[in-house]
């Protein structure tokens, strides 16, 4: 391994390896080969990163910089990411095996978050309060929380980091980033751009390593004010419990089991494409995967056949190749998990309509591929319909009418996203009202924007990312009282 393929962390503006002296391999899921290494950090490194962020929060120049200045830095970072989008995307594809087309689309779009929140930075306003006590003047200020720990997963590392980084910085916080142990390289490459943009030292720090080794040191550190996390629900719940001990703020985005609902009155061909994009795009490794396809009984056979035919034609291959439609999955444990759910589905009586294993093509042998898989006649009480798989497995579930569709859609512990396919306007609005999820798409699927709040109901999480609301997640309100009266009132009674 050459030194060039080693990435380093940045703590307090300085590049560093780990104090453990160890390295973590980053493996390309298409070749199965290690292509880079990142520092394998320990608790000491985690503490150093938090302390650097805390110093930068307390002392200047970040804390004394104007909000307009912060906004300019964010926009400059956006410009640099736009310049290097393809380079960053290629790193992501090498790290997580997702299509270069998908990752470069994301990396080209990421700057918009930095422009949007950069613009919001100097529009964070407090207010003067109307006051029932004439001798007191009161106003509010909205202030940053302090050190924010951003913990990101492997499926869309930079996009999901950006959803945290842009509003947190715009609000004036400082940051420690802990990327996934599987996909740290793009985050460390981003730090070159953070440096080039001119962020003061300690404002953004990184620490790479295993979540179970350094996670608690970060999330329970007394100098940390907030944890912004995207990942699995079990890890999210553990972080929430740890954060509760120090009464820390949290934003948790924890995935889902999203219903994608097709009514008989929908444009069937569009709905079939929507079903495909809901689950097979990104090999199903997306929190918003429409993994439960609810289909009205009268069109169930027709839709099932069309979805199966569409998916059967999907081209598996090298994720860097523009013709590839389905790449490998990101990690070996994830592939094992997916294959295990295929076995569970069969045991529970679901009918396998397509796929159901690993592809036989020798050209794909080195990669961590699974076949696009569809199960029919799934009932909503099967594990395949209740538990997040995070892979290219679609469960098709029949329903009778609107009421039945709502009942099945909401019968889940999750509530992240949902899709409704219908040409009936009343039905579209009714479904949007009654589905208990943070996002409802009507006659489309998998749309996100820097302007649109994103987050979960129920076990899909707490808090919202993107949109104006997101900045509130990184602010707290202070109320200031100025005495206008001469002298001090009776000290023994409440003023
Ligand atoms: O996730 P983890 P994993 C779901 C998906 C997947 C499952 C497991 O169903 O199959 O989670 O994936 C860090 N303290 N999603 O194991 O563990 C970890 O290092 C602090 C949904 O990869 O949640 C990584 O940086 N941090 C999802 C991050 O948490 C800890 C995206 C996510 O890893 C930690 C990914 C700890 N104790 C998986 N333990 C989505 N919502 O999009 C781990 N981490």
């Amino acid at each position: 391994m050459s030194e060039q393929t080693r990435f380093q962390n940045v703590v307090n503006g300085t590049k560093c390896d780990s104090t453990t002296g160890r390295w973590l391999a980053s493996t390309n899921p298409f070749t199965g080969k290690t292509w880079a290494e990142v520092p394998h950090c320990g608790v000491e490194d985690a503490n150093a990163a938090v302390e650097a962020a805390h110093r930068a929060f307390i002392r200047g120049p970040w804390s004394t910089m104007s909000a307009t200045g912060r906004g300019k830095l964010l926009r400059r970072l956006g410009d640099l990411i736009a310049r290097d989008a393809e380079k960053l995307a290629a790193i992501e594809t090498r790290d997580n095996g997702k299509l270069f087309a998908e990752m470069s689309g994301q990396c080209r779009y990421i700057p918009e978050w930095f422009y949007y929140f950069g613009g919001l930075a100097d529009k964070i306003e407090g207010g003067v309060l109307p006051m029932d006590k004439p001798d007191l003047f009161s106003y509010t200020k909205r202030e940053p929380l302090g050190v924010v720990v951003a913990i990101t997963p492997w499926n869309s590392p930079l996009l999901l980091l950006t959803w945290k980084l842009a509003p947190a910085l715009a609000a004036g916080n400082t940051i420690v980033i802990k990327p996934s142990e599987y996909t740290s390289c793009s985050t460390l490459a981003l730090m070159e751009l953070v440096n080039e943009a001119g962020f003061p030292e300690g404002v953004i720090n990184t620490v790479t390593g295993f979540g179970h080794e350094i996670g608690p040191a970060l999330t329970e550190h007394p100098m940390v004010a907030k944890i912004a996390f995207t990942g699995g629900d079990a890890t999210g719940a553990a972080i929430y419990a740890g954060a509760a001990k120090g009464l820390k703020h949290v934003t948790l985005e924890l995935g889902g089991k999203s219903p994608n609902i097709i009514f008989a009155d929908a444009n069937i061909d569009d709905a079939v494409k929507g079903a495909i994009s809901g689950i097979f795009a990104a090999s199903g490794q997306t929190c918003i995967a429409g993994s439960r396809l609810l289909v009205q009984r009268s069109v169930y056979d027709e839709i099932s056949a069309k979805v199966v035919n569409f998916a059967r034609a999907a081209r598996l291959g090298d994720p860097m190749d523009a013709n590839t439609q389905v790449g490998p999955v990101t990690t070996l444990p994830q592939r094992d998990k997916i294959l295990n759910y295929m076995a569970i589905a069969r045991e529970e009586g679901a009918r396998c309509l397509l796929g159901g294993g690993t592809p036989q093509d020798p050209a794909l042998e080195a990669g961590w591929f699974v076949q696009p898989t569809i199960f029919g006649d799934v009932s909503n009480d099967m594990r395949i319909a209740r538990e997040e798989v995070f892979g290219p497995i679609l469960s098709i579930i029949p329903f009778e009418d609107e009421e039945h569709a709502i009942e099945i859609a909401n019968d889940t512990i999750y509530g992240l996203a949902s899709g409704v396919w219908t040409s009936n306007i009343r039905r579209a609005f009714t479904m949007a009202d009654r589905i208990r999820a943070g996002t409802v798409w009507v006659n489309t699927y998998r749309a996100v924007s820097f302007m649109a709040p994103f987050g979960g109901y129920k076990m899909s999480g707490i808090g919202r990312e993107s949109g104006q609301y997101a900045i509130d997640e990184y602010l707290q309100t202070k109320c200031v009282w100025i005495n206008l009266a001469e002298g001090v009132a009776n000290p023994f009674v409440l003023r």
Side-chain angles (χ1 to χ4, degrees):
M1 161 116 354
S2 69
E3 287 296 311
Q4 288 91 313
T5 52
R6 281 190 164 172
F7 290 83
Q8 288 181 293
N9 278 306
V10 176
V11 174
N12 205 31
T14 305
K15 285 187 175 182
C16 52
D17 303 336
S18 69
T19 55
T20 65
R22 289 184 293 158
W23 293 85
L24 258 178
S26 202
T27 309
N28 180 333
F30 178 62
T31 62
K33 294 202 174 91
T34 297
W35 76 277
E37 287 183 326
V38 299
H40 182 159
C41 294
V43 168
E44 209 179 305
D45 302 298
N47 288 338
V50 172
E51 284 157 23
H54 191 254
R55 268 195 309 278
F57 182 73
I58 300 294
R59 296 187 198 152
W62 181 246
S63 55
T64 51
M65 187 183 287
S66 71
T68 307
R70 285 203 308 271
K72 279 186 188 154
L73 276 178
L74 280 167
R75 291 198 293 278
R76 200 175 302 154
L77 180 58
D79 284 342
L80 296 175
I81 295 171
R83 183 194 71 191
D84 286 359
E86 306 290 298
K87 219 192 287 177
L88 292 167
I91 294 175
E92 299 225 299
T93 294
R94 247 172 262 147
D95 249 1
N96 73 3
K98 282 171 77 173
L99 301 186
F100 179 71
E102 165 97 354
M103 300 331 284
S104 68
Q106 287 187 9
C107 288
R108 280 185 272 112
Y109 196 28
I110 281 171
E112 297 297 341
W113 271 263
F114 289 100
Y115 301 147
Y116 180 84
F117 286 101
L120 262 186
D122 58 6
K123 292 157 199 77
I124 299 167
E125 296 175 346
V128 173
L129 303 178
M131 186 44 65
D132 62 320
K133 301 175 195 316
D135 289 344
L136 288 169
F137 178 79
S138 301
Y139 61 95
T140 56
K141 292 182 71 194
R142 301 182 72 217
E143 299 189 334
L145 300 172
V147 177
V148 173
V149 169
I151 300 178
T152 53
W154 37 263
N155 51 334
S156 295
L158 284 183
L159 184 71
L160 298 174
L161 171 61
T162 297
W163 291 7
K164 299 159 183 51
L165 200 54
L169 290 170
N173 300 279
T174 57
I175 319 285
V176 175
I177 306 167
K178 214 289 297 161
S180 166
E181 50 272 35
Y182 296 106
T183 57
S184 299
C185 298
S186 58
T187 298
L188 302 191
L190 179 77
M191 291 305 287
E192 301 278 349
L193 307 185
V194 166
N195 181 40
E196 190 178 340
F199 279 87
E201 60 190 32
V203 172
I204 310 174
N205 309 272
T206 59
V207 53
T208 48
F210 288 106
H212 65 272
E213 289 179 358
I214 55 173
L218 293 170
T219 57
E220 296 173 30
H221 196 295
M223 286 175 181
V224 168
K226 163 154 188 149
I227 299 117
F229 171 80
T230 301
D233 55 2
T235 305
I239 287 174
Y240 196 19
K245 289 189 241 165
L247 289 183
K248 299 180 193 309
H249 299 247
V250 293
T251 302
L252 303 169
E253 196 273 272
L254 308 177
K257 198 75 206 173
S258 300
N260 198 1
I261 308 167
I262 305 179
F263 285 94
D265 63 31
N267 177 319
I268 297 295
D269 290 334
D270 286 352
V272 167
K273 283 189 204 146
I276 295 287
S277 87
I279 187 69
F280 296 122
S283 299
Q285 300 173 110
T286 146
C287 50
I288 50 183
S291 50
R292 290 188 297 150
L293 186 67
L294 276 51
V295 181
Q296 195 154 23
R297 179 85 65 188
S298 58
V299 288
Y300 182 83
D301 290 338
E302 179 190 356
I303 300 248
S304 298
K306 285 189 167 170
V307 172
V308 166
N309 285 338
F310 211 117
R312 184 176 282 128
R315 285 184 297 275
L316 277 64
D318 182 348
M320 289 302 291
D321 183 339
N323 291 317
T324 300
Q325 293 171 317
V326 177
V329 298
T330 301
T331 73
L332 274 176
Q334 191 57 32
R335 185 170 72 163
D336 291 345
K337 177 179 171 184
I338 295 166
L339 294 174
N340 189 38
Y341 270 101
M342 290 176 181
I344 292 170
R346 285 198 180 91
E347 275 163 29
E348 287 188 314
R351 199 155 49 89
C352 187
L353 305 177
L354 182 74
T358 51
Q360 300 308 311
D361 183 350
L364 306 178
E365 221 164 56
W368 302 333
F369 283 89
V370 292
Q371 292 174 313
T373 295
I374 299 177
F375 287 103
D377 299 335
V378 173
S379 103
N380 202 49
D381 54 9
M382 292 178 182
R383 285 182 64 190
I384 196 75
R386 303 201 80 74
E387 298 170 19
E388 185 178 56
V389 177
F390 224 64
I393 302 187
L394 181 66
S395 299
I396 312 186
I397 304 173
F399 70 86
E400 306 304 331
D401 55 19
E402 219 170 275
E403 203 55 42
H404 192 205
I406 288 285
E407 186 188 314
I408 300 173
N410 288 339
D411 179 17
T412 169
I413 59 169
Y414 296 108
L416 189 61
S418 57
V420 178
W421 298 84
T422 180
S423 55
N424 178 327
I425 186 92
R426 180 207 57 77
R427 174 167 281 160
F429 277 94
T430 304
M431 294 298 287
D433 278 351
R434 295 189 62 196
I435 293 174
R436 293 189 40 76
T439 292
V440 182
W441 289 295
V442 177
N443 294 332
T444 185
Y445 205 88
R446 242 180 141 239
V448 294
S449 165
F450 50 94
M451 295 177 172
F454 178 83
Y457 282 29
K458 302 191 270 182
M459 284 295 284
S460 288
I462 294 175
R464 293 293 175 270
E465 299 188 298
S466 302
Q468 284 190 43
Y469 307 98
I471 206 148
D472 296 334
E473 307 270 352
Y474 295 94
L475 290 164
Q476 55 196 338
T477 302
K478 176 181 279 174
C479 188
V480 182
W481 299 79
I482 310 279
N483 184 19
L484 302 177
E486 297 281 355
V488 174
N490 181 351
F492 296 102
V493 293
L494 184 71
R495 177 114 189 236

